[in-house]
């Protein structure tokens, strides 16, 4: 995912740098007009203000505005600024921006795509609001008043104790509360770890050939270079780990390929890491969701002093909670907590509520119900694609909230575009390829079947099948 | 405040570096045994584990252990590690650590000082739990499900809109939602601003001669040097601002001196800042609490493009919420949000709840009630000191949750120590002096009368008066 930028009520995902920036901005603005999210007559911010908003050069914005004036989407008049043209060329309501720009959640309410099958978020309409409030009430009723004070940077002791029990039981993590640091989401945990590793002298982190650019960017922000590891039928090959100070992996469910790391490779990763002294960063983003067999236990359980385990409530509950957890070798736990700046950065009330949610069994009940719901969606997706788009092939189905949908060669870009014109937001696999990796990704879609609310699911599936080559 | 460190259930405040580290650690451990927080027979962590916890050299811990074994507080035996001696020398229950080490909230539950008049936290026992839960229920009942997704790094639009209205009305801040960035506490806001200013090429931030070392440390972490401004009867003198890229001030209520910035100085700060191009960082930590006259409006209202206004819920509600807000010049708002790392880092539920709390009027009602309660405490404190300790003089009483209590020359350290031995935690003024400032602080206490819960207030006041020279 690229950086989400919020500007005058419209949130844009733009590649923050590079030659694609002007093109991306122009395309995003054009689509905002085309789709009706920016209504005719709307006055745009000055190029100076928008450039400041986006943290980019003013000329880039001015150029994008000029392009769109030339194309007839915008008008520019002395004294009245730049406005959306009242007769815009060929507007098509219900369309969504092309791949590379993506409407962010708050904007969806106004001019959102009809359907969204991009990966990354769970079904937010199924967030257990009533159960969460009950847990909040119980947590607030019993918490000592000191729990509302400045807190331990590792996070509330109640939550760390609850997580230690849960992670040990459900994911085979060797956790004790002293090893756990609560963070404001996975990105926060990765940012803290990157800072600490860099301060220890680390220079390079090996990453997967497929993954999220924001994760590589976070490591780069911390001063760490990333280098891709080869990927084949067994998953990521750690042979190239030599020379890296750490390796970031999704062993239970590779994102976005959807496969678990082969058991031989699991052993090889730990073996290499031990020999080279590298730290393994285990991103267990959706470890709760496995359908056809027992979950793959966390790599951390095999070598807790060599592996930093990273989990999150973003897939099992909601990203908006901004709660994640790192289970760390003891020497790292103190340093990562200190990197938070000496005090906790996560709200005590949400932490106490999640602790109560975990210990009362509400979390297990919620995950079981969600697992059943997502499994039904997955089954429906596999059956519908088999029946209606036999040229496509679904893989990576055993776990998680997304699948890989293999397409006939050369068709990925046109399928994504056709879907967008139908009002279906989709991501192709190519956007998740590490540009530094030496591999040619197959044509495929990364279909996030967890994203739509229940009422939109069958419509989204229909739109998908109608878009696929028959 | 120094860094709070959490280790095996005991939280220590230690200066993180420098020659005082070993002495501080030895003293803190000695006091933990002396006061009974570490009970006889307790096994201490290995020096390696504790060193890793604290992020300090193992030798420092080993040396501190050795000192305490020599003194008889600890015993060390092959195979059973280091333990608290079963007959420790002259244990005095009810004492608290000496100034420079301080028991952090979670530890108070076990072996806390009987009374706490250190500044920094409001009366947490008066947190409006029921009203907060009601607001949470209303907020969750009406929020769209998209509010639970990854969010705008500026914070939830509902909260920014509510803050814009409140800050304009209550503090004279020129706020619109696009200028506001929600942060996880004041420290988070200062850290983000420091990072952005440094990236823009800033080198030096002018600070007050009295203030919190953690704020200077946060700026130093961002690569910024701090330089103290002179302080006199009119407050901070901006004459020395030349050469600084920014200035961090507490204009409404200087911390810890308790006085507002004189109106001539307010004008001078803005004048200097305009002439030198410096940004003013306005720390309005307790602007809600003013007793004897109308509140001093925010400096930001006079020049919103030159002043970054920083407010927090830590004093008006509770630090544990981890919610603060920055109202920024437009060009800075986008950059500070981007420095968050592309997504929001504050929980959406707490943000929605605070928005509901503000717009429903619950926040105003809570602040009014708290203001009355704190004002009564202040009046009782002023009256008790006048009656029982006529040598002491109370200043800085018009606002906030603390006063300055002037002592006879040379008596500050002995009063703080005597208070500690009575089980009353107190801070002297000297700990808030910027070591780089050329001034000799008067002997004084910084008395936080907001800190005790209601049931402990009169006992705390009695203990204070009994400690003061009569």
């Amino acid at each position: 995912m690229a950086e989400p930028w919020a500007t005058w009520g419209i949130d844009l995902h733009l590649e923050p740098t590079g030659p694609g920036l002007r093109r991306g901005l122009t395309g995003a603005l054009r689509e905002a007009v085309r789709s009706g999210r920016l209504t005719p007559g709307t006055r745009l911010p000055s190029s100076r203000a928008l450039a400041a908003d986006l943290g980019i050069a003013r000329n880039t914005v001015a150029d994008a505005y000029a392009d769109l004036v030339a194309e007839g989407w915008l008008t520019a008049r002395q004294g009245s600024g730049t406005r959306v043209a009242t007769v815009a060329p060929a507007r098509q309501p219900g369309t969504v921006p092309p791949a590379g720009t993506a409407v962010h959640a708050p904007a969806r309410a106004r001019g959102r795509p009809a359907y969204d099958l991009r990966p990354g978020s769970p079904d937010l309409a199924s967030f257990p609001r009533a159960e969460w409030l009950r847990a909040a009430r119980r947590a607030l009723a019993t918490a000592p008043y000191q729990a509302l004070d400045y807190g331990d940077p590792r996070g509330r002791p109640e939550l760390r104790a609850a997580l230690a029990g849960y992670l040990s039981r459900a994911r085979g993590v060797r956790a004790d509360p002293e090893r756990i640091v609560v963070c404001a989401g996975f990105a926060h945990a990765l940012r803290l770890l990157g800072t600490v590793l860099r301060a220890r002298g680390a220079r390079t982190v090996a990453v997967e050939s497929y993954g999220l650019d924001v994760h590589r960017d976070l490591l780069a922000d911390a001063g760490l270079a990333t280098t891709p590891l080869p990927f084949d039928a067994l998953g990521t090959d750690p042979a190239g780990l030599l020379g890296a100070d750490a390796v970031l992996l999704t062993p239970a469910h590779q994102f976005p390929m959807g496969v678990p790391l082969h058991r031989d490779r699991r052993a090889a990763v730990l073996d290499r890491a031990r020999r080279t002294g590298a730290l393994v960063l285990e991103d267990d983003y959706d470890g709760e969701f496995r359908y056809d067999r027992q979950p793959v236990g966390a790599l951390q359980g095999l070598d807790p002093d060599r592996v930093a385990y990273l989990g999150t409530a973003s897939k099992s509950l909601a990203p908006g909670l901004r709660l994640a957890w790192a289970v760390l070798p003891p020497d790292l736990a103190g340093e990562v907590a200190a990197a938070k700046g000496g005090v906790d950065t996560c709200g005590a009330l949400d932490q106490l509520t999640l602790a109560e949610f975990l210990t009362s069994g509400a979390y297990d009940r919620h995950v079981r119900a969600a697992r059943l719901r997502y499994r039904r969606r997955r089954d429906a997706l596999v059956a519908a694609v088999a029946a209606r788009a036999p040229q496509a092939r679904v893989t990576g189905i055993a776990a998680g909230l997304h699948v890989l949908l293999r397409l006939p060669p050369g068709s990925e870009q046109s399928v994504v575009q056709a879907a967008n014109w139908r009002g279906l937001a989709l991501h192709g696999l190519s956007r998740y390829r590490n540009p530094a990796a030496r591999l040619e990704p197959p044509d495929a879609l990364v279909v996030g079947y967890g994203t739509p609310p229940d009422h939109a699911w069958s419509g989204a599936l229909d739109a998908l099948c109608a878009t696929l080559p028959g």
Side-chain angles (χ1 to χ4, degrees), chain A:
Chain A
M1 277 173 281
E3 303 260 319
W5 298 102
T7 66
W8 78 110
I10 295 201
D11 295 343
L12 309 170
H13 277 225
L14 295 174
E15 299 300 331
T17 53
L21 179 56
R22 172 180 168 183
R23 200 169 55 240
L25 179 62
T26 309
L29 289 170
R30 189 192 294 117
E31 290 300 330
V33 176
R34 199 203 303 265
S35 67
R37 280 187 290 127
L38 279 177
T39 51
T42 301
R43 182 176 181 155
L44 297 179
S46 71
S47 57
R48 183 173 153 278
L50 181 55
D53 267 359
L54 300 175
I56 63 180
R58 182 179 176 178
N59 278 348
T60 306
V61 178
D63 289 347
Y65 278 12
D67 289 350
L68 294 168
V69 169
E71 289 174 30
W73 298 98
L74 304 179
T75 61
R77 264 193 212 96
Q78 193 69 32
S80 87
T82 306
R83 292 177 185 273
V84 177
T86 43
V87 185
R91 171 136 36 101
Q92 298 256 359
T95 60
V96 296
T101 65
V103 186
H104 202 60
R108 284 181 201 153
R110 264 203 292 285
R112 62 184 183 231
Y115 301 113
D116 191 347
L117 288 174
R118 291 169 298 181
S121 292
D123 172 10
L124 299 168
S126 299
F127 181 81
R129 298 186 186 208
E131 291 79 2
W132 186 263
L133 274 173
R134 271 197 289 276
R137 189 176 315 114
R138 287 195 302 267
L140 257 181
T142 54
Y145 68 82
Q146 294 92 342
L148 299 169
D149 208 345
Y150 293 97
D152 184 334
R154 292 176 197 232
R156 288 297 311 162
E158 296 89 339
L159 178 54
R160 290 185 285 123
L163 284 169
Y166 170 74
L167 293 172
S168 156
R169 173 168 57 78
R171 301 294 299 124
V173 172
R174 284 207 246 163
D176 70 79
E178 296 304 306
R179 286 174 171 257
I180 297 180
V181 179
V182 178
C183 299
F186 174 85
H188 185 221
L190 188 60
R191 170 179 286 238
L192 292 171
L193 268 166
T195 306
V196 167
L197 290 176
R198 186 66 195 83
R200 284 180 167 202
R203 293 275 172 185
T204 308
V205 177
V207 296
E208 295 169 308
S209 283
Y210 294 101
L212 287 170
D213 52 3
V214 281
H215 295 174
R216 297 190 297 271
D217 290 348
L218 278 168
L219 294 168
D221 283 351
L224 295 163
T226 57
T227 170
L229 293 170
F231 182 87
D232 60 26
L234 302 184
T236 295
D237 182 354
L241 197 51
L242 215 74
D245 301 292
V247 54
L248 173 62
L249 293 173
T250 51
H253 189 227
Q254 208 284 331
F255 186 86
M257 300 304 277
V259 292
L261 190 63
H262 189 275
R263 62 177 179 277
D264 295 348
R265 290 282 168 78
R266 286 165 65 89
V269 165
L270 292 176
D271 181 58
R272 286 268 163 176
R274 279 188 209 112
R275 278 196 278 153
T276 64
L279 180 74
V280 180
L281 310 178
E282 178 175 25
D283 175 4
D284 194 41
Y285 61 104
D286 66 1
E288 282 85 357
F289 297 116
R290 176 156 288 269
Y291 309 115
D292 305 315
R293 56 176 188 273
Q294 279 299 303
V296 181
L299 209 55
Q300 190 265 5
L302 303 177
D303 196 345
D305 288 334
R306 177 63 51 203
V307 181
Y309 173 91
L310 302 165
T312 175
S314 291
K315 312 301 181 224
S316 57
L317 284 163
L321 288 178
R322 301 283 77 208
L323 284 174
W325 37 89
V327 188
L328 301 168
D331 54 334
L332 263 180
E335 288 181 48
V336 167
K340 272 190 175 184
V343 290
D344 198 4
T345 53
C346 301
L349 299 185
D350 279 344
Q351 291 190 62
L352 292 168
T353 302
L354 180 56
E356 171 65 27
F357 210 73
L358 282 160
T359 51
S360 68
Y363 188 86
D364 283 318
R365 282 194 299 278
H366 168 69
V367 165
R368 271 199 304 275
R371 196 188 287 135
L372 188 62
R373 223 169 35 244
Y374 291 132
R375 187 193 172 134
R376 286 197 186 121
R377 288 191 184 187
R378 183 207 62 169
D379 293 345
L381 171 64
V382 171
V385 169
R388 296 173 58 186
Q391 284 198 65
R393 193 161 58 86
V394 185
T395 66
I397 65 173
L401 306 178
H402 75 274
V403 294
L404 199 70
L405 209 159
R406 297 286 194 102
L407 299 172
S411 64
E412 177 183 312
Q413 206 183 342
S414 60
V415 169
V416 169
Q417 267 171 0
N420 286 344
W421 283 94
R422 280 176 191 273
L424 169 64
L426 271 185
H427 278 175
L429 174 61
S430 52
R431 71 182 292 140
Y432 296 107
R433 171 180 172 267
N434 183 334
R438 266 173 296 175
L439 50 73
E440 205 49 60
D443 284 71
L445 303 173
V446 183
V447 178
Y449 55 86
T451 309
D454 267 340
H455 66 82
W457 162 242
S458 62
L461 184 54
D462 276 347
L464 174 68
C465 290
T467 308
L468 295 175

